[in-house]
Amino acid sequence: MRDVSSELESYFAEAFPADWDMPPALLESMRYSLDAGGKRLRPLLVVAACESLGGSRAAAIRVAAAVEMVHTYSLVHDDLPAMDDDDLRRGKPTNHKVFGEAMAILAGDGLLTHAFYVVSSLARDGLLPAEAAIGIVSDLAEYAGPRGMVGGQVADMEGEQGTTDLARLEYIHLHKTSDLIMFSLLAGGRTAGATPLQLDALRTFGRGIGLAFQIQDDILDLVGDESKLGKKTQSDVKMEKVTYPFFLGIDKSREEVRRLSEESKTAVLGAGLERTDILLAIADYLVERDR
Amino acid sequence: MRDVSSELESYFAEAFPADWDMPPALLESMRYSLDAGGKRLRPLLVVAACESLGGSRAAAIRVAAAVEMVHTYSLVHDDLPAMDDDDLRRGKPTNHKVFGEAMAILAGDGLLTHAFYVVSSLARDGLLPAEAAIGIVSDLAEYAGPRGMVGGQVADMEGEQGTTDLARLEYIHLHKTSDLIMFSLLAGGRTAGATPLQLDALRTFGRGIGLAFQIQDDILDLVGDESKLGKKTQSDVKMEKVTYPFFLGIDKSREEVRRLSEESKTAVLGAGLERTDILLAIADYLVERDR
């Protein structure tokens, strides 16, 4: 799995050919945020789900690239002055700090749109049947769209201390973070021809680790190490955002991360997959991570 | 064709069910801009292209809704303070004036993403084979993406007087406006099983009327009637944007609109379509329009 990042970066070079007829600054702005790296968690999940069923790595890498493009667009828009107004992301100046607000908006729009082009290329280039490719388009649009990630972003923006309860916070985390993680697992499964029951297990796994991941994010924002995280901590407190530690405290939040991680592991263990080791290792890593 | 607008609006109600679990303000913001109306030119072109080959109206209306959602998202983002900073659109306050900047960004993101969900629904609901649906996804992502409309928006933003020549302006118009119009015709053709040669003719028609439409826009911004247009004129002069009248003057620009319209008509007349009357009428209307 260590090669996923480098395979992904090779594919980005293919997905955005240097000889494309488009304004060079747009290409530069999109690549700047894509290449900023980060954990590449979602690509890893796509490939892990695909390989848990012995599917094609080449198809999985394209889906992995598409989900990372969607994730990156969401960060670029989220960092804008009108949204979270962040100057730093993954240790580097945010997109709008380097390219200006207008370009950051358009680079985000370009990344989101091009993700669907990449998914459609699976059918065009004969890597997947059209039925499987259109299923992935449908899932991506659902989990990243107004009922999914975009809805979660809106709820997050509206969710200030005093007006939001724990159930509402779960809605925010579920859609803002888990939805794209669930999509990654579902889409990885689809590239390998997963059965409906296997897709259900992968979705349950994604829901659990997605929530665990986001609660851990809340915890790290409160007590994490800025140099490891590559961003300023205490931003939730400053923005008066509700978080799991805000409601439950640090210890109970940590317990919830562990519980969700175990629950997720149980889901994939019973799904009759060819191999589960990578998925289980990812669930463990999420509990321990400090960046 | 007069029914296209009302069929479109009925379909919007289906595409955004009121019982969807999403923040009500997001739904309201997306519907506000979608329902603001406008000419519905792109939906009309989808249906006209589909009916020129005797295709299914139900499939065409969904594609028409998707392209109108993409067009609307581009207007919402284009109007933002960081972009064109417009207060008025189609005679109503712009989205960010009513819902705030953050919501306008997210409503645009939601409309763009959901457009792909609507296209994928054609295969899910058995209205089109998966091959045709994924072909429409691919075209939409290409013509609306970084090599298409988004690239055109960036070039438009960069294209100020003094640094842009007429060839560059044609690039801007081609991508900012013609691309989505070309997509509308191509996708309409695809819903009706057009041959590659017929798709070529529809693309050529779209390229010509798209350019003609945008040059007419430039002309109307200079000499049009604000009450008919529903927006302030002279905005290009104020923003120091290059336009066809800026390079060629009003009379030569009008001549170019007529020439492109005739060229477009010639393209569809030789393509062996079942009927061409609606397409020809649209090409004529674009020359005469005053709003």
Side-chain angles (χ1 to χ4, degrees):
Chain A
M1 300 303 286
R2 224 165 255 142
D3 302 328
V4 169
S5 281
S6 64
E7 286 173 44
L8 191 68
E9 271 138 48
S10 307
Y11 182 71
F12 284 151
E14 242 181 82
F16 295 96
D19 62 351
W20 259 15
D21 185 26
M22 70 160 116
L26 172 62
L27 182 59
E28 207 189 323
S29 170
M30 293 191 295
R31 290 297 308 251
Y32 174 83
S33 290
L34 264 185
D35 296 344
K39 289 175 282 293
R40 309 291 194 200
L41 171 66
R42 291 154 194 82
L44 202 69
L45 290 168
V46 175
V47 176
C50 173
E51 304 211 333
S52 78
L53 285 153
S56 141
R57 178 85 162 222
I61 287 291
R62 291 209 192 176
V63 175
V67 73
E68 193 68 4
M69 286 159 64
V70 170
H71 175 55
T72 302
Y73 118 77
S74 79
L75 300 180
V76 170
H77 281 189
D78 204 33
D79 287 337
L80 286 167
M83 309 268 286
D84 281 357
D85 194 14
D86 277 318
D87 296 348
L88 217 56
R89 164 74 67 183
R90 296 167 175 170
K92 290 168 66 179
T94 45
N95 194 294
H96 64 91
K97 280 279 158 191
V98 180
F99 298 95
E101 269 183 73
M103 186 64 89
I105 294 167
L106 289 166
D109 294 345
L111 285 167
L112 170 59
T113 312
H114 198 51
F116 287 98
Y117 187 78
V118 167
V119 175
S120 72
S121 78
L122 290 166
R124 214 166 39 243
D125 297 342
L127 289 169
L128 279 187
E131 288 75 15
I134 201 81
I136 295 173
V137 166
S138 175
D139 283 349
L140 181 55
E142 180 175 348
Y143 285 88
R147 268 189 304 178
M149 186 180 69
V150 170
Q153 293 273 32
V154 170
D156 184 44
M157 186 178 82
E158 292 172 337
E160 278 169 26
Q161 290 171 17
T163 60
T164 308
D165 58 15
L166 188 60
R168 186 78 188 151
L169 178 64
E170 194 178 289
Y171 173 93
I172 294 172
H173 281 3
L174 199 58
H175 292 291
K176 195 182 162 172
T177 307
S178 291
D179 273 345
L180 212 53
I181 287 178
M182 279 192 270
F183 165 76
S184 302
L185 289 148
L186 277 176
R190 282 191 195 278
T191 61
T195 66
L197 274 176
Q198 287 167 335
L199 289 176
D200 274 348
L202 289 168
R203 189 189 290 110
T204 305
F205 178 83
R207 189 182 192 280
I209 63 161
L211 266 178
F213 180 80
Q214 183 58 50
I215 298 172
Q216 188 74 355
D217 239 32
D218 288 356
I219 294 170
L220 291 173
D221 187 71
L222 210 58
V223 300
D225 180 333
E226 289 190 1
S227 66
K228 281 186 184 163
L229 291 166
K231 61 182 177 185
K232 290 211 181 307
T233 56
Q234 308 288 334
S235 73
D236 294 332
V237 177
K238 221 173 51 196
M239 301 282 288
E240 299 191 347
K241 285 204 170 162
V242 289
T243 64
Y244 267 75
F246 173 83
F247 285 116
L248 300 178
I250 287 279
D251 287 348
K252 284 226 160 171
S253 297
R254 285 196 168 123
E255 215 171 275
E256 183 66 4
V257 172
R258 273 190 298 272
R259 193 188 65 75
L260 286 164
S261 166
E262 290 307 315
E263 200 179 270
S264 302
K265 284 153 72 172
T266 308
V268 292
L269 281 170
L273 304 175
E274 284 180 27
R275 56 183 293 189
T276 53
D277 52 336
I278 308 167
L279 293 172
L280 298 182
I282 292 172
D284 283 333
Y285 153 75
L286 290 182
V287 181
E288 296 148 19
R289 75 186 177 98
D290 58 3
R291 63 186 188 94
Chain B
M1 299 304 285
R2 223 167 258 140
D3 301 329
V4 170
S5 279
S6 65
E7 286 173 46
L8 191 69
E9 271 138 48
S10 309
Y11 182 70
F12 285 150
E14 243 180 82
F16 294 96
D19 61 352
W20 260 14
D21 184 26
M22 69 161 119
L26 173 61
L27 183 59
E28 206 189 323
S29 170
M30 291 190 297
R31 290 296 308 249
Y32 174 81
S33 290
L34 264 186
D35 296 345
K39 287 175 284 290
R40 307 291 194 203
L41 171 65
R42 291 154 195 81
L44 202 68
L45 289 169
V46 175
V47 177
C50 173
E51 304 211 333
S52 78
L53 285 153
S56 141
R57 178 85 164 222
I61 286 291
R62 290 209 192 175
V63 175
V67 73
E68 192 68 4
M69 287 159 66
V70 171
H71 175 57
T72 302
Y73 117 77
S74 78
L75 300 180
V76 171
H77 281 190
D78 203 34
D79 287 337
L80 286 165
M83 309 268 287
D84 280 357
D85 195 13
D86 277 318
D87 296 348
L88 217 58
R89 164 73 68 183
R90 295 167 175 171
K92 290 169 64 180
T94 46
N95 195 294
H96 65 91
K97 279 280 155 190
V98 180
F99 299 95
E101 268 184 73
M103 185 64 89
I105 295 167
L106 290 165
D109 294 345
L111 285 167
L112 170 59
T113 313
H114 199 51
F116 287 98
Y117 187 79
V118 167
V119 175
S120 72
S121 78
L122 290 165
R124 215 166 40 245
D125 297 343
L127 288 169
L128 280 187
E131 288 76 13
I134 201 80
I136 294 172
V137 166
S138 176
D139 283 349
L140 182 54
E142 181 176 346
Y143 285 89
R147 266 189 304 178
M149 186 181 67
V150 170
Q153 294 273 29
V154 171
D156 183 43
M157 187 179 81
E158 293 172 335
E160 278 169 25
Q161 292 170 14
T163 60
T164 308
D165 58 13
L166 187 60
R168 188 73 189 156
L169 178 64
E170 195 178 287
Y171 174 93
I172 295 172
H173 281 3
L174 198 57
H175 291 293
K176 195 182 163 172
T177 308
S178 291
D179 273 345
L180 213 53
I181 287 178
M182 278 191 272
F183 165 77
S184 302
L185 289 149
L186 277 176
R190 282 192 195 279
T191 60
T195 65
L197 274 177
Q198 287 168 334
L199 288 177
D200 274 348
L202 289 168
R203 190 188 291 110
T204 305
F205 177 83
R207 189 181 192 282
I209 65 162
L211 267 179
F213 179 80
Q214 184 57 51
I215 298 173
Q216 187 75 355
D217 239 31
D218 288 355
I219 294 170
L220 291 173
D221 187 71
L222 210 57
V223 299
D225 180 335
E226 289 191 359
S227 66
K228 282 185 183 162
L229 291 166
K231 62 181 176 188
K232 289 211 182 305
T233 56
Q234 307 288 334
S235 73
D236 294 332
V237 178
K238 221 172 52 199
M239 303 282 287
E240 299 191 346
K241 285 202 171 162
V242 290
T243 63
Y244 267 75
F246 173 82
F247 285 116
L248 300 180
I250 287 281
D251 287 347
K252 283 225 160 172
S253 297
R254 285 193 168 128
E255 215 170 276
E256 183 65 5
V257 172
R258 273 189 298 271
R259 191 188 66 76
L260 287 163
S261 167
E262 290 307 314
E263 200 178 271
S264 301
K265 284 154 71 174
T266 307
V268 292
L269 281 170
L273 304 174
E274 284 180 27
R275 56 183 291 191
T276 53
D277 53 334
I278 307 166
L279 293 172
L280 298 182
I282 292 172
D284 282 333
Y285 153 75
L286 289 181
V287 181
E288 295 148 19
R289 77 187 176 97
D290 58 3
R291 64 188 186 92

